[in-house]
Amino acid sequence: MRAQAFGRAVFFRDGAHIREIQDINDALAFMGAWPTSRRGPIYDSALRACHAAQVGQLHADGASDAIRAFARSVGILEQTPVAIDPWVIAAQVLRGAPI
């Protein structure tokens, strides 16, 4: 597992492609490439969350939630593009984890 990996990847639409953010480094690269003219308060919050996670002040999943919220706010958030095996869902239900 990569350092500071997200518990659940964030998927977003980039033109005709679906891209994946798996960890803090991916998130910071994504945020750094975002056009300056399209940045705003939600972008700023997500970027601060990524920096806080990078230095250990926030859990990586807190940063992934912020990235997910940002992607949703700009209309590029995608659901997981791959099918999840039924045994994974069953295991999550048994543990009481959200699916």
Side-chain angles (χ1 to χ4, degrees):
M1 182 180 282
R2 293 167 25 169
Q4 300 174 325
F6 295 162
R8 186 172 56 130
V10 178
F11 295 92
F12 67 97
R13 182 158 299 281
D14 181 12
H17 304 284
I18 294 178
R19 307 274 186 213
E20 179 179 18
I21 299 172
Q22 295 182 352
D23 61 24
I24 296 300
N25 292 334
D26 292 348
L28 287 169
F30 165 73
M31 297 303 282
W34 192 254
T36 306
S37 63
R38 295 188 61 202
R39 297 177 184 183
I42 299 173
Y43 169 91
D44 292 337
S45 271
L47 185 61
R48 278 194 308 275
C50 290
H51 286 298
Q54 186 179 41
V55 297
Q57 295 175 336
L58 179 69
H59 191 278
D61 288 340
S64 74
D65 290 344
I67 292 293
R68 193 170 279 103
F70 170 70
R72 185 179 306 110
S73 78
V74 295
I76 61 171
L77 183 66
E78 288 289 327
Q79 297 301 318
T80 305
V82 294
I84 298 175
D85 291 330
W87 67 267
V88 172
I89 293 172
Q92 288 177 337
V93 169
L94 290 173
R95 286 193 335 238
I99 298 174

